[in-house]
Amino acid sequence: PHITVPYDPRQLLCGYTNKFDDSWVSGFFDKNSYFETLSGWAETVICGRARLGGIPTGVIITENRTKEKKYPADPADLTSQEKIIQQAGCVWFPDSANKTAQAIRDFNGEGLPLIIFANWRGFSGGQRDMFDEVLKFGAYIVDALVAFKQPVIVYIPPFSELRGGAWVVIDSTINSDVMEMYAADDSRGGVLEANGAASIKFREKDILEAAHRLDPLLQSLDLKLKNPLSIAEEEDIRAEVKQREKRLMGVYQQLATHFADLHDTPGRMAAAGAIKKVVPWENARSFFHWRLRRKLAEFDLIKQIQNVSKSNQDRRQAVANLKKWFVESEKDEKKWEEDKIVLDWMERDAEKIKHFMSQVEFERVYNDTQSMLRDSPEAVIRGLVKVINNFDAPTKRALLSKLTSGTQ
C-alpha cells in the first residue's frame, strides 16, 4: 500500500497483476487461496477465508474506499423511493459491525484461526446510526472475540490507523489468552487522533504560555512592558505582541500535533505494551506464517495438558508448564519468543513432552486419590480391593508390599 492512495484491500490479501509489465505482485496469503464471503452485505468490511503457507484462516479487513449503500423502496408504500447513501471507508457502520461480529462467530464455529487487518478510525456516530443500534453491534464484536477459541492476530497494516472505539473492541486484552496485536512500522494507533489529543492537552492558553516562555522576541517585548511606558508606546508593544502570537500560533499547534503523533507510533505502542511487536510489511507474511504455526501447535499441546489434568489446570497454568518444559530442555528462556525454535523443540522432543504430560496425569491422580481418602476412606479401600482382585499375582504382591511398607 501507498500513503494517501486508495486501493482495493483484496489486493493486499491475494495479490494482483501489475498492469504495466504483467508481473505478479504477491499478497499476504497464498496465491488463489482467498475466497470472499458475505460480499454483497455491508461493503465497508471485507471478510473471507484464505490460506497462509497452507494454513486455513479466516480474514477480516477494512475497506478504505467510500462505498454506496442502497435502501430499496418499500413495495407496499407508493410514496417511498430508493435511497442511496455514502458510507466512508475505515469506519464501522451498524451493518458492517454486525457483519464483522457474524464473521468472527462463523470462524470460531469452524475452528479457524483469525487474522484481522485493522484500519478503522472508529464507529459512525450519526443519529441514524444510533437508531440502527451501532453500539449494540459493536458490543457483538467484543462478545464474539471473548468466546473465540483459536488464535486471533490483529495487525495494523502500513499507513493504516486504529482509533477510538475501534481500538476498544479489538484490543488484545479482551481475550488475552488467544489474541495478539501487531503493527507495521508506518502505522498509527491510539484512542484519540493526534489533532484531537493536541487540541485537548495543548489549548490556546497553553500555546501562548509556551510561546512567551520560549520565543526570544516575545520575551523581549514582555520585558519592555515591565518598564514605564506612555499609553501610546504600550499600545504599540501590545499590538506587536498580538501579531507575534498570531504568527506563532500555527507553528506551535503543528509542533503539538507532531508531538502527539509521536505517541501513536508503533515503537511507542510496543513500549507501552499496547501491541506485542512491530512487524514490517515486507516481513509480515513469513513472520505470521511461523507465528500461526507455533500458536496452533501450542494450542493443541495446551488442550492435551488440560485433558490429562482433567481441567485441574487453567490455560495459563498449562502455558506456564509448557514454557517450563521448554526452558528445561533449551536452557534459555529468551528462546521461548522464537517461533521456529519452539516449533523445532515441539517436533524434536515430542517423546519428552509426552513424558512430561504423563507426570501431570500422575500428579493429578495422586492428588485426587489423597482427596478421596480424606473424604471417604472406606469407599476408596473398597474400590481398591475390587480393583486388586483383577490384578495378576505378581502385581498383587508388589502392590501389597508397597501398602505394607508405606512407601510411594
Side-chain angles (χ1 to χ4, degrees):
H2 299 280
I3 190 169
T4 70
V5 178
Y7 61 92
D8 186 349
R10 296 166 186 83
Q11 295 179 351
L12 203 70
L13 303 179
C14 50
Y16 64 96
T17 301
N18 192 321
K19 62 182 179 181
F20 297 107
D21 58 7
D22 292 329
S23 62
W24 173 254
V25 180
S26 177
F28 183 85
F29 292 105
D30 300 350
K31 186 177 180 180
N32 298 326
S33 71
Y34 174 71
F35 177 76
E36 186 171 347
T37 57
L38 307 175
S39 57
W41 171 41
E43 295 182 24
T44 53
V45 164
I46 299 167
C47 60
R49 289 147 183 81
R51 291 181 180 271
L52 180 60
I55 303 172
T57 63
V59 57
I60 296 172
I61 189 170
T62 316
E63 173 61 79
N64 56 64
R65 300 166 297 176
T66 299
K67 306 296 288 187
E68 291 183 347
K69 179 180 179 180
K70 294 182 179 180
Y71 286 94
D74 184 358
D77 184 0
L78 296 178
T79 63
S80 70
Q81 296 179 343
E82 181 183 82
K83 294 181 181 179
I84 298 177
I85 64 170
Q86 302 291 320
Q87 290 187 328
C90 305
V91 176
W92 258 318
F93 293 89
D95 57 347
S96 55
N98 190 11
K99 177 179 177 178
T100 303
Q102 182 62 54
I104 294 171
R105 289 192 293 267
D106 290 345
F107 298 144
N108 191 35
E110 296 170 24
L112 291 174
L114 171 61
I115 300 179
I116 300 174
F117 292 89
N119 184 19
W120 286 285
R121 297 180 65 188
F123 286 86
S124 56
Q127 188 174 18
R128 175 187 290 275
D129 300 315
M130 291 298 178
F131 281 131
D132 288 340
E133 301 176 316
V134 65
L135 298 180
K136 181 183 78 172
F137 294 125
Y140 281 0
I141 297 174
V142 177
D143 292 341
L145 289 172
V146 168
F148 213 83
K149 302 300 182 185
Q150 290 73 238
V152 178
I153 293 173
V154 179
Y155 181 58
I156 309 176
F159 311 118
S160 301
E161 55 184 342
L162 189 59
R163 303 287 186 182
W167 182 293
V168 174
V169 300
I170 57 174
D171 188 89
S172 59
T173 56
I174 288 173
N175 189 353
S176 58
D177 287 341
V178 305
M179 294 181 67
E180 294 179 346
M181 184 176 286
Y182 300 88
D185 44 9
D186 296 315
S187 62
R188 291 292 185 270
V191 174
L192 289 176
E193 295 188 21
N195 287 332
S199 64
I200 292 172
K201 302 294 288 185
F202 204 51
R203 299 179 184 273
E204 182 177 345
K205 176 175 69 70
D206 303 311
I207 292 175
L208 294 178
E209 288 178 0
H212 281 268
R213 186 175 68 251
L214 300 173
D215 183 61
L217 181 55
L218 283 176
Q219 289 175 348
S220 66
L221 292 173
D222 288 340
L223 286 174
K224 289 180 181 180
L225 287 172
K226 292 180 180 179
N227 298 324
L229 299 169
S230 65
I231 295 176
E233 289 176 333
E234 184 176 347
E235 287 179 351
D236 289 342
I237 293 175
R238 291 192 182 279
E240 194 175 348
V241 168
K242 289 291 184 184
Q243 185 178 7
R244 183 63 177 173
E245 288 176 346
K246 186 176 180 180
R247 289 183 63 184
L248 292 177
M249 182 66 68
V251 175
Y252 277 72
Q253 285 175 335
Q254 290 179 18
L255 288 171
T257 301
H258 180 67
F259 182 75
D261 182 66
L262 292 175
H263 288 77
D264 297 339
T265 59
R268 181 58 193 159
M269 286 190 282
I275 63 173
K276 188 174 181 67
K277 189 177 180 180
V278 179
V279 181
W281 175 250
E282 56 268 22
N283 302 330
R285 174 175 161 82
S286 173
F287 174 83
F288 288 120
H289 165 72
W290 289 106
R291 187 64 183 170
L292 203 52
R293 278 189 59 184
R294 181 260 177 90
K295 296 303 290 184
L296 290 170
E298 185 180 299
F299 274 42
D300 184 58
L301 287 175
I302 288 170
K303 287 179 182 177
Q304 293 181 43
I305 294 171
Q306 291 179 317
N307 286 337
V308 298
S309 66
K310 301 298 183 184
S311 299
N312 286 344
Q313 292 189 14
D314 61 22
R315 194 179 186 284
R316 295 187 181 181
Q317 287 177 311
V319 172
N321 265 335
L322 197 59
K323 182 177 179 180
K324 182 181 72 172
W325 301 339
F326 173 82
V327 174
E328 287 177 4
S329 176
E330 298 295 318
K331 312 299 183 187
D332 188 353
E333 187 174 349
K334 293 180 180 179
K335 291 182 179 179
W336 179 250
E337 299 301 325
E338 300 293 331
D339 298 326
K340 291 182 182 180
I341 295 175
V342 174
L343 274 169
D344 179 66
W345 168 74
M346 290 177 181
E347 294 175 4
R348 186 183 69 247
D349 290 355
E351 292 302 319
K352 284 186 179 179
I353 295 173
K354 287 182 181 179
H355 174 69
F356 289 139
M357 288 188 185
S358 66
Q359 290 179 331
V360 171
E361 186 175 21
F362 176 86
E363 184 179 351
R364 187 261 306 171
V365 173
Y366 178 77
N367 291 333
D368 287 351
T369 304
Q370 285 187 319
S371 177
M372 288 186 293
L373 278 168
R374 286 192 297 268
D375 294 340
S376 181
E378 185 176 350
V380 174
I381 292 172
R382 287 186 180 182
L384 187 59
V385 169
K386 187 173 182 179
V387 171
I388 289 174
N389 289 333
N390 296 325
F391 291 166
D392 55 22
T395 306
K396 283 183 182 179
R397 286 195 296 268
L399 180 58
L400 290 172
S401 175
K402 284 190 175 183
L403 290 172
T404 303
S405 63
T407 58
Q408 295 182 353

